[in-house]
Amino acid sequence: MAVAEFLKGLPSFDENNFTKFHVDANNRSPLKRPSVYVPTKDFPSEQVIVTEKTNILLRYLHHHWEKKKKRDHTAAEIEEQIQVRKRARIDYNTP
Amino acid sequence: MKAMANHYVVSAHKATAVNACVTGNFTSPTELNLIVAKNSRLEIYLVTPEGLRPVKEVGLYGKIAVMKLFRPQHEKKDLLFIVTIRYNAMILECINEGNNLEIITKAHGNVSDKIGKPSDTGILAVIDPKARVIGLRLYDGLLKIIPLEKDNYELKASNIRMDELQVFDVEFLHGCANPTIILIHQDPNGRHVKTHEISLREKEFVKTPWRQDNVETEASIVIPVPSPLCGAIIIGQESILYHDGITSVAVAPPIIKQSTITCFAKIDPSGYRYLLGDMAGHLFMLFLEVETNADGTDVVRDLKVELLGEISIPECITYLDNGVLFIGSRMGDSQLVKLNIKQDESGSYVTPMESFTNLAPILDMCVVDLERQGQGQLVTCSGAFKEGSLRIIRNGIGIQEHASIDLTGIKGMWALNIASGGKFDNTLVLSFVGHTIILSLNGEEVEETDITGFCADNQTFYCGNVIHEQIIQITPASVRLISAQTKNLLSEWQPKNDKNISVVACNTEQIVVSTGSKLFYIEIHPSELILIGQTILDVEVACLDISPLGEGATRSDLVAVGLWTDISARILRLPDLSEATKDNLGGEIIPRSVLMTAFEGANYLLCALGDGSMFYFLLNKESGTLTDKKKVILGTQPTVLKAFRSLSTTNVFACSDRPTVIYSSNHKLVFSNVNMKEVNHMCSLNAEAYPDSLALATDNSITIGTIDEIQKLHIRTVPLQESPRRIAYQEQSQTFGVLSVRMDIQDSSGLIPSRPSASTLAQSVTISSSVGSLSIGKSSSVSAGSGTAADHGKEVEVHSLLIIDQHTFEVLHSHQLMQQEYAMSLISCQLGDDNNTYYIVGTAIVNPDEAEPKQGRLIMFHWNDNKLTPVSEKEIKGACYSLAEFNGKLLASINSTVRLFEWTAEKELRLECSHFNNIIALYLKTKGDFILVGDLMRSMILLQYKTMEGSFEEISRDYSPNWMTAVEILDDEVFLGAENSRNMFVCQKDSAATTDEERLQMQLVGQIYIGDMINVLRHGSLVMQNLGETSTPTSGCVLFGTVGGAIGLVTQIPPDFYDFLLELQNKLSVVIKSVGKIEHSFWRSFHTDIKTEPCEGFIDGDLIESFLDLSPSKMKEVASGLQFVGEGNMKQECTVADLVKIVEDLTRIH
């Protein structure tokens, strides 16, 4: 495909944009600088970005401890169940 | 006694290197904006049919590291997310109601961690396409996420541990149910691409949807592809890969191999087309070719890359609208370019539309007064590679050109208001030899016209509106009074003796006319010209003036006359033309223009001569006496003085080969250059289409323009197309020496320059013989001659000394150094009893196998008669980083040593003494017997040369571990240093200390964060030194140039003035709110990797000067309670007017 094909149909937000661009003979841009914004009104921030202070390792350990606790808990429960079942079995096997 | 250690630092020219650019709807949902980040400032533009229209410049208290626009879901316009290099993050919104634009900080906070290794690849920040979360890669092995929750006051940033330590780029993927990042990382096996899905609830990576190990070893950019295609493009050194987890397509187009792609821009919202820019300034288009699957979905089938053309070396690219792009550059001028479907003659699809001046990076600079005007100009080594250039920077007033008409041979020009019914001028009268042209101004239309009562077939000496709705035209033949209504001739006056009128002057009621030595005084009445007086002077009249003095005055009681033969200026009384005063100007140059004018209530007589110089006097209006005679040189050609009013103050325009505006500030005349090459005539013009304008005639055109309110710097560019590194000025030969580097490509036949540039295009070229006195490559296995086959295509640095004409800036000569020889330092100086002035180059032989250079040369050249003659060559044992002339001897810093060489009668450099206590002695500055050395990492050290012993003695040292980038001696006791964490500091030698130990230690007396790395410090000033005196008690001036292209200055101020400014600064830092809510004290605090300490000893001039931009009520708020030491050393309340005056004076030091 030719390059011309690539360049067809370039996106347009407003088709008038750049249509009246004046090309200076010297390609010199007029001295135009934006005025400086000097804010004097105070707008309170809606939100404040805060960095989580917890050390990443501590958070990791904490997280895993929680998980482990949960797992231990469930494991214990399962064990309990097993024990119960075992006991039941023992009971069952008990003459 | 303690030396003065209070300093004022201010930018004379703000940074121009572009760090980032983005396009989106920021100021309103319907407006398309370009936002450009330049160091610590944002420039907001509006895209319009006429091009880019500047909206606002927004300063931040931090250098911008990353800037992204994003649109939260259900929002109609974009928000701006910024992270500064000191880890301040902010989300900004623009509220634009009518003409009242406000930038609101919606969220802010510092996202730094106390521990963590800052990544070598810099700060990376990305935003999820659905705006659910921001990702930051600040430190190795950590990804910081900020979930964008709307309802919480606190936005909680948390770190996620990444297994990937060395990450080159990171992006969010599109079309994922949960936020998913994609990154390029490196491990010992190579570079790999990996994706991570983030759980915002658990703040963990939960899975890796896909990965691609062993992508190209130089892959460095990820481009996320939007829906529906999704996936990502990985850009490498030689290949481009598309991957979406299932399909992968890779191409290796040969055209991208030449350089490295560094930036991209998406063209279509759907993500089929991208622009890529590389380090050589090539612009490519990348196109994703798709095919439709059986199920109707599109998949990428192929990648096409095409070269579109050449642009400035880009740092960032953004697509604006209708095929127009903004190219942000750090190395050269930024650009607006247009993409065309058709190729131009050179095969390019890119047309430059506009370029934006950029001085960055400033590697070196010198301050010169080429015109001997008492005003310095800066010549900088700016830019790099193909964007390398010299920039000539001078202070002056700018004329903004609005229209221009091509016309040659204009002898005079006046604006008239002829029956317009309003206050606007509608006619321009142009005088030529033998005829006069009248132009009528109708809106922007200009056409030639006739006025019945006018004489058009003669030259016009004067023309203007006068009382009783009449017009005066004075030609060599007569004075004509014309009705402004009927345009008919009402009255005419001719000199009786048929002599031609030679010189005239006129105001709205009075005329003076001379024919040779005869002088006539005429008054203007309704339909009548009445001769009131006449006299004969002893010599011929050269120039006349009858300007009324004083506010609202329409008549004058005095006539000013400049005379031939006796070269005098005289004041005559009206109506009898009797002499009140005569001043013999002296010399042989005839006065060409006199003007009486009032500046700030004081009356002056200005008298310009035929050689461009001007006398000025205080004129007593009552007695007509002249006092306080002063002389100034404005240009080199006959000068014409014309008064005009601008912003309700009187100014005088001096038309000459160096046009100057004269105005008064604090009852001192200020002479400010105008950014035009020459102006022969000028007049004020207040036309409907051109209100408050000036019409300026040059040799071949008329320019209509408006005058800038303030002084600003004007920049001229001399392109070199290679990298300039060092510059030195040599007055004797009227040349500049420039060390410059170009890139050659190793070929089977040797080195081939990669493009024509200054060193290859010079009028003459010489080359250092590779044989020379040195055997290069002794310790290297690689032969320095023609490269081996493996080296083919390799880029090789070639260093040259360029000799450049100071007037034309033509490269007169280029001297190429040996292969592997790097030019490091350059000075121009005289040595010993030798009357010749030499260029001395310090070099290093760089061998890639050695940790530091072990060899180098000091080469002395003499530029004479358009020939460069090598005079002497001295082998040294290392790299010569810096050179200085020192009491007729040559001082050189060579690796870790400082060495002094004597220039013997046998024309040889002989080592006299050395100093060894440095890591690498990078910089040298001297004053008297003292030498200031800037070390690579051990701050500054002061040496003294002991003449008797012929040795160096260590006087004092700063023991802080500062990595220096520049040093300068402020005075005998005070030393200025700049270091590589963008800070500046001042150390003081403590001569009064009681113990030797204390004396040996420099005391830190000032420190400030500049926010930009300073490459060069030089004594000098950009403003007239002897003329525009101000009331501000500043002393000395050191200019600095930065990596970001900023020029600033540091000056010393007395303690009481410092205290006053500090109080003003503290008040301003409260009244002026910080965008992004970064504290001013945080911004200016001295900050390095190892410490952060409050700013001290420095006043932030940029903040002080922003006082002038405040509204009157806010000015009042700042002024209230401020006290300053006024007349009689009494403390007094500071009024707004006092404060404006003080701050305005401060702005005039740059």
Side-chain angles (χ1 to χ4, degrees), chain B residues 280 282 310 384-389 718-723 740-745 751-762 765 798 800 802 811 814 816:
Chain B
H282 296 123
E310 195 176 294
F385 308 107
K386 79 182 181 75
E387 315 299 343
S389 64
V718 180
L720 297 177
Q721 280 116 26
E722 59 182 78
S723 310
S740 144
V741 186
R742 68 165 196 265
M743 285 294 181
D744 282 9
I745 310 287
L751 294 175
I752 312 293
S754 56
R755 59 160 59 221
S757 61
S759 61
T760 66
L761 298 170
V765 177
V798 176
S800 313
L802 308 178
V811 183
S814 155
Q816 185 177 322

Side-chain angles (χ1 to χ4, degrees), chain B residues 502-513:
Chain B
S502 54
V503 184
V504 305
C506 183
N507 61 39
T508 58
E509 296 184 18
Q510 301 158 296
I511 304 169
V512 275
V513 167

Side-chain angles (χ1 to χ4, degrees), chain B residues 1065-1084:
Chain B
Q1065 176 180 305
N1066 291 340
K1067 289 192 142 209
L1068 284 169
S1069 68
V1070 175
V1071 169
I1072 297 175
K1073 309 298 175 210
S1074 154
V1075 172
K1077 301 203 184 280
I1078 305 167
E1079 291 291 324
H1080 180 261
S1081 54
F1082 176 90
W1083 158 234
R1084 291 304 185 186

